[in-house]
Amino acid sequence: MLLSILLLTCLVVPALAGPFEDSVAKFANDDFSDTETAIGEVASSGNPLASAILGALQDGRLSADPDTKKVFVTRSDGKIIDAATGAAVDKLPDNVADVRVNNRLRRTIAAALGGLTLLSPDPAKRLAAAQSVLKSHEENLLPTVDSALAKETNKSIKQAFAEARAAIILFKSDASDSDKLDAVAVIKARGDQEALALLNDVGTDQPPLVAKAASSAISSIQNNLAMWSAVQNAWYGISLGSVLLLAAIGLAITFGVMGVINMAHGEMVMLGAYTTFVVQEVIRGRYPALFDYSLFISVPLAFLVAGGIGVLIERTIIRFLYGRPLETLLATWGLSLVLQQAVRTMFGPTNREVGNPSWMSGAFELGQITITYNRLWILCFTLAVFAILLAMLRYTALGLEMRAVTQNRRMAASMGIATSRVDALTFGLGSGIAGIAGVALSQIDNVSPNLGQSYIIDSFMVVVFGGVGNLWGTLVGAFTLGIANKFLEPVAGAVLGKIAILVLIILFIQKRPRGLFALKGRAVEA
């Protein structure tokens, strides 16, 4: 009876070892092929110890006894466990050795660890794992991907699993032609750079039908990407146009109503940006919880600061130079240098940090283009400012007086309108709008004493191109120049692109001296 029990034990114990234990034991063979096989089997086993084993192998913490075929995991806290059972081990046997890996195995381990998270309860981890498998397309992860695909309920993650599975099938040597054709169709439907890279890596050793389908898919994706590239450039152009409009809209008012060439307009933009910096510094030091509201506080303050300085400039300098455009140009240019030096003295010559609130940070994907939140909010802010300004000019007493002075200054004065007061308020309004432009620009550009100089020439080009004194012309001119600039940059470069834009504007002004939307009738007398 005792002999029978011993024989039964010898037969049963190996049977109880199970496939997972057999897979783990292969790590002790000190053979790269066996190790690669073990990695795939452990990863697809679904055992809760799989992640710890592969993580230890990746970090050099997996060791094995070649005599007993026992494998051990040394955890990051120094404790040791049996890799097959998870049981605690007091110390490693004397003859254990680290399981060796090479570069190929390291890639396999990374892919396997990514595959393990395919079944994670966290949707973000499952999506990241699917994308990792798409790039690595390791064949041994196919069972795990199939299992994850069958269980997935989230539509977007399920699509990512399907694309990862297609990538594996595409490179699987024993996959049928029909399966590979289906895989090509799935990858083609993805239509991005990752899909293009996968199809380019397929090679020419595929069956003729598969190679032809892959070639057709590559051409289709390239055409699709070219279209999305044009859309991305258009978005960049709209984004640049919104910045130009915001910087030029105040100049359009002062130049159109008053005929003053204000070379200090860029410094009003700069003052608005520094107002934002001061507000954020105060909030950081005293009220950090209000940081996300810093821009809402900065906008009215920047308008008041820049607008107040604008009224002061008009009352003390500009009012004595009406009708003498060359003198106003020289005076405001000198004033711009004074303002720059004053800011350098107060804040120093180096760039100042202005942070993005949380609601202006990050980006999102729309189709195949990337849209940043700060640019999107600046576009919305610009259009809001434009709409408010139009409403003010149309429905307020000041707007009515400004339009009257624009159309016929002498007639407006004879009707009792105080043109000097309108001039001061108009200059202050234009400067105030430049100040809030500085608040927006502080989110996408360096805040420095030279900030305004980057936009003054472009602002004048927008105003002249659109039509002096016409806000709708300024809107169309800003977006037209912004989009044209972004489409020329990839072809001619940034510098040559700007030169080309300048030459085109000069030629256009030769044909239409009053711009796109020229004032008509009595407005020409302004």
Side-chain angles (χ1 to χ4, degrees):
M1 183 181 294
L2 181 61
L3 182 60
S4 299
I5 292 174
L6 289 175
L7 290 172
L8 184 62
T9 302
C10 292
L11 292 172
V12 171
V13 169
L16 291 177
F20 179 73
E21 289 78 2
D22 292 341
S23 299
V24 172
K26 293 178 182 177
F27 286 115
N29 293 340
D30 195 26
D31 182 88
F32 287 146
S33 297
D34 287 345
T35 301
E36 184 173 14
T37 303
I39 292 170
E41 292 176 355
V42 167
S44 59
S45 68
N47 193 290
L49 291 172
S51 179
I53 293 171
L54 296 180
L57 180 61
Q58 186 179 49
D59 298 338
R61 295 182 285 104
L62 191 70
S63 51
D65 186 340
D67 297 331
T68 63
K69 302 298 181 183
K70 289 282 189 180
V71 182
F72 305 94
V73 172
T74 303
R75 299 194 311 193
S76 55
D77 59 2
K79 294 181 179 179
I80 304 168
I81 62 171
D82 187 312
T85 64
V89 176
D90 293 334
K91 65 176 183 176
L92 293 173
D94 294 335
N95 58 338
V96 297
D98 291 339
V99 178
R100 297 182 304 133
V101 294
N102 56 20
N103 288 335
R104 179 182 176 183
L105 287 178
R106 289 188 184 94
R107 290 192 294 269
T108 304
I109 295 166
L113 285 171
L116 285 174
T117 56
L118 289 168
L119 301 173
S120 169
D122 186 349
K125 289 183 178 179
R126 294 202 303 276
L127 182 59
Q131 306 218 350
S132 175
V133 173
L134 177 77
K135 295 177 182 178
S136 65
H137 45 80
E138 290 287 339
E139 290 186 20
N140 54 17
L141 293 177
L142 184 58
T144 309
V145 173
D146 285 335
S147 176
L149 183 60
K151 296 177 182 178
E152 188 57 57
T153 57
N154 184 291
K155 185 176 179 180
S156 61
I157 300 177
K158 194 178 186 72
Q159 179 63 29
F161 284 157
E163 291 166 356
R165 183 181 186 279
I168 295 173
I169 295 294
L170 195 60
F171 290 88
K172 198 169 186 292
S173 57
D174 57 349
S176 66
D177 288 1
S178 60
D179 286 344
K180 288 196 174 187
L181 289 173
D182 291 339
V184 169
V186 172
I187 299 299
K188 177 184 175 181
R190 180 182 174 96
D192 61 358
Q193 290 288 353
E194 290 286 352
L196 187 62
L198 281 172
L199 292 171
N200 280 325
D201 289 343
V202 168
T204 58
D205 57 344
Q206 297 290 336
L209 285 176
V210 177
K212 182 178 179 181
S215 177
S216 175
I218 288 172
S219 298
S220 175
I221 292 175
Q222 286 175 337
N223 293 334
N224 185 58
L225 290 177
M227 181 196 71
W228 279 111
S229 177
V231 174
Q232 182 77 74
N233 283 336
W235 163 249
Y236 288 149
I238 291 172
S239 175
L240 176 60
S242 67
V243 172
L244 293 178
L245 176 61
L246 202 55
I249 194 170
L251 187 64
I253 296 173
T254 56
F255 195 20
V257 175
M258 307 172 67
V260 173
I261 304 175
N262 180 19
M263 295 301 294
H265 181 78
E267 278 53 56
M268 301 298 107
V269 175
M270 178 260 293
L271 290 175
Y274 272 98
T275 301
T276 309
F277 165 71
V278 172
V279 169
Q280 288 196 353
E281 285 297 295
V282 172
I283 288 176
R284 282 192 182 102
R286 299 183 181 180
Y287 314 103
L290 296 178
F291 186 81
D292 276 351
Y293 304 95
S294 60
L295 296 188
F296 295 104
I297 300 170
S298 300
V299 166
L301 288 178
F303 181 86
L304 292 175
V305 169
I309 292 177
V311 171
L312 181 63
I313 292 171
E314 197 280 335
R315 290 287 84 185
T316 56
I317 298 175
I318 303 298
R319 64 180 298 191
F320 302 108
L321 300 174
Y322 287 129
R324 292 182 287 176
L326 182 59
E327 282 84 347
T328 58
L329 186 151
L330 292 174
T332 53
W333 178 67
L335 182 62
S336 71
L337 298 179
V338 171
L339 291 174
Q340 288 181 45
Q341 191 56 48
V343 169
R344 285 192 182 91
T345 302
M346 294 176 64
F347 297 99
T350 57
N351 296 340
R352 292 294 181 172
E353 179 187 359
V354 175
N356 292 114
S358 60
W359 49 274
M360 286 189 74
S361 302
F364 65 95
E365 301 288 332
L366 182 63
Q368 298 291 334
I369 67 173
T370 301
I371 297 178
T372 56
Y373 284 110
N374 57 356
R375 294 278 183 172
L376 181 62
W377 279 114
I378 287 174
L379 174 61
C380 296
F381 179 68
T382 301
L383 295 177
V385 170
F386 184 81
I388 292 170
L389 186 57
L390 281 180
M392 191 216 73
L393 291 175
R394 184 174 180 84
Y395 299 111
T396 67
L398 176 61
L400 181 63
E401 292 176 352
M402 286 174 59
R403 285 187 289 138
V405 172
T406 301
Q407 291 182 12
N408 194 314
R409 178 177 293 272
R410 287 177 294 175
M411 183 62 74
S414 68
M415 296 297 292
I417 296 176
T419 56
S420 63
R421 179 180 65 86
V422 173
D423 288 338
L425 293 177
T426 301
F427 202 89
L429 176 64
S431 299
I433 293 174
I436 62 177
V439 177
L441 293 177
S442 69
Q443 300 300 297
I444 59 174
D445 207 341
N446 295 323
V447 177
S448 69
N450 298 320
L451 173 64
Q453 295 299 307
S454 304
Y455 296 95
I456 185 65
I457 302 300
D458 289 337
S459 298
F460 272 108
M461 284 199 300
V462 167
V463 173
V464 173
F465 177 65
V468 176
N470 192 309
L471 291 183
W472 284 107
T474 304
L475 175 73
V476 174
F479 285 115
T480 300
L481 292 182
I483 292 173
N485 192 65
K486 287 302 178 182
F487 274 95
L488 281 173
E489 273 186 8
V491 178
V495 176
L496 288 179
K498 283 189 175 295
I499 293 173
I501 292 291
L502 180 59
V503 170
L504 290 174
I505 289 177
I506 291 172
L507 295 176
F508 178 81
I509 295 301
Q510 294 294 318
K511 183 70 175 175
R512 293 178 63 92
R514 295 186 179 275
L516 280 174
F517 298 91
L519 296 176
K520 298 179 181 179
R522 292 175 180 169
V524 178
E525 300 173 9

